[in-house]
Amino acid sequence: MARVFSGIQPTGDKHLGNYLGAIRHWVATQDADDALYCVVDLHAMTLPYDPAELADRTRRTAALLLAAGLDPQRCTLFVQSHVPAHTELTWILNCVATFGELRRMTQFKEKSAGQESVSVGLFDYPVLMAADILAYDAERVPVGDDQRQHLELARDLAVRFNHRFGPTLVVPEPAIPPVAARIMDLATPTAKMSTSAESPQGTIGLLDPPELVTKRLRSAVTDSATDVRFDPDTKPGISNLLQILAATTDRPLPDVEAEYAGVGYGTLKQTVADAVVAFLAPLQRRYRELADDPAHLDAALGAGAEKAEAITTKVLARVRQAVGLLPRA
Ligand code: TYM
């Protein structure tokens, strides 16, 4: 069984991109892998946020993961700040990472652009992410395409660490799905679907009511031609709809493309809307049940943190020794 690790931020309402690019693959492989999934609350502190809301968002994100099908009996689900090794390893990796390589991170450049004041936490975000992964000896990291560069950094840091201090850390492999790794914004299909999009028109929240899902998909921006074909460069809107349809109905993309080749854009949009609504219904039902029982959720997260910590205790002991820290008597 491969050790697998991935994380999700408790920011905003999670959307269809998060689900199709990441969460559904977590659910699908939880039996085949030794899998750990983490709600990364410390990452959510790197941009301005409301402290009164963070704990609730963290809980709600965990409930969403359970509603999507993660089962705490089959995988380890926990909250990042409950396991102190993440921050400890971040410091140690900070002394391996360079200013230059962090400055080149695309997400840092995007998120810091035009901001008057940028926190050191935002700059250090990818090192905390590397620590998340490396603290568990994770071999595989299932993520969407937007995390590719961060994963590359985690690999570079592990390789550099091992070169400098001797073989200590496992070098992780990214696992990026072949279809739906980058779901695009419905209103601006050249940009990825994201909670931080300027307008919510192009985003489908996993908890959005059916009418809203249908409205947004029916008004998805397409192009001025009439042919339904998968070609992300010239037909980003249509290609995005085809990917959403393939992923939500669990069919190969070429089959879906062939079936809808002669159909009008309006029909395609309505078909995708129906598929997404049907796909989200059971998740939304389970979410409502889980959100009603926070004590049960907190207990599951507590047990998850204990299982997670048992792993990091061993890895961190190895790391401390490798970097030459004096053991506590
Ligand atoms: P986050 O919370 O932004 O997103 C969670 C997962 O959803 C994927 N994703 C998408 N996939 C397809 N299409 C989209 N439009 C789309 N938008 C988001 C992301 O790639 C991600 O897999 N930095 C990470 C969280 C993190 C993490 C980690 C991940 C922290 N530590 C360690 C893996 C390992 C993030 O912000 O994800």
Side-chain angles (χ1 to χ4, degrees):
M1 287 222 289
R3 171 74 53 75
V4 167
F5 182 96
S6 201
I8 185 165
Q9 290 199 64
T11 42
D13 294 324
K14 303 317 284 190
H15 52 74
L16 198 60
N18 298 127
Y19 191 87
L20 298 181
I23 301 170
R24 82 184 171 117
H25 303 287
W26 304 358
V27 174
T29 56
Q30 59 183 332
D31 291 314
D33 292 314
D34 173 12
L36 295 117
Y37 299 116
C38 182
V39 182
V40 293
D41 51 350
L42 300 172
H43 276 111
M45 297 168 65
T46 57
L47 288 173
Y49 73 101
D50 181 355
E53 284 188 5
L54 181 59
D56 190 46
R57 284 180 188 273
T58 301
R59 240 193 226 122
R60 281 194 283 147
T61 303
L64 195 65
L65 294 177
L66 293 177
L70 286 186
D71 176 355
Q73 305 300 323
R74 289 142 72 199
C75 67
T76 304
L77 176 66
F78 70 104
V79 175
Q80 186 185 35
S81 67
H82 292 175
V83 181
H86 294 247
T87 43
E88 183 181 352
L89 185 56
T90 298
W91 180 258
I92 294 173
L93 294 175
N94 274 341
C95 302
V96 174
T98 67
F99 188 81
E101 66 192 341
L102 293 187
R103 204 175 35 190
R104 284 195 294 275
M105 291 290 120
T106 321
Q107 286 208 0
F108 173 71
K109 286 197 260 184
E110 282 167 9
K111 290 187 177 169
S112 60
Q115 301 296 319
E116 215 170 85
S117 153
V118 174
S119 75
V120 175
L122 184 66
F123 187 65
D124 206 28
Y125 180 114
V127 180
L128 176 58
M129 180 164 159
D132 294 341
I133 299 164
L134 302 178
Y136 293 90
D137 287 340
E139 296 157 78
R140 225 152 34 79
V141 186
V143 284
D145 184 65
D146 62 336
Q147 298 301 317
R148 200 181 280 276
Q149 194 187 29
H150 287 158
L151 250 293
E152 205 44 54
L153 179 84
R155 287 171 56 83
D156 289 349
L157 293 181
V159 169
R160 197 177 309 149
F161 186 103
N162 290 343
H163 184 70
R164 198 170 292 170
F165 301 110
T168 313
L169 298 172
V170 171
V171 181
E173 295 288 340
I176 297 172
V179 174
R182 182 176 284 262
I183 294 296
M184 307 309 269
D185 187 280
L186 299 172
T188 316
T190 46
K192 70 170 181 183
M193 187 178 284
S194 148
T195 6
S196 50
E198 266 167 38
S199 133
Q201 300 309 325
T203 305
I204 293 195
L206 293 174
L207 300 174
D208 284 349
E211 314 77 61
L212 187 62
V213 170
T214 303
K215 184 164 163 250
R216 294 217 166 131
L217 278 160
R218 287 193 60 98
S219 33
V221 167
T222 48
D223 51 61
S224 54
T226 52
D227 54 326
V228 170
R229 165 164 75 74
F230 185 74
D231 180 353
D233 291 334
T234 61
K235 302 177 78 66
I238 290 295
S239 303
N240 194 35
L241 292 174
L242 287 172
Q243 292 212 54
I244 293 174
L245 187 57
T248 49
T249 55
D250 216 6
R251 293 173 59 197
L253 183 59
D255 289 9
V256 171
E257 189 186 8
E259 181 175 340
Y260 290 91
V263 151
Y265 285 2
T267 309
L268 175 67
K269 287 181 187 179
Q270 186 61 51
T271 307
V272 180
D274 293 344
V276 173
V277 166
F279 176 78
L280 291 180
L283 181 151
Q284 298 187 348
R285 206 177 321 113
R286 283 196 297 270
Y287 177 81
R288 282 191 290 272
E289 288 161 16
L290 290 158
D292 281 347
D293 193 355
H296 178 77
L297 190 61
D298 288 357
L301 292 173
E306 237 170 81
K307 281 200 310 191
E309 194 161 26
I311 300 174
T312 61
T313 303
K314 292 195 192 126
V315 177
L316 266 285
R318 221 160 64 212
V319 168
R320 281 196 213 103
Q321 191 187 15
V323 299
L325 295 171
L326 176 68
R328 189 168 97 183

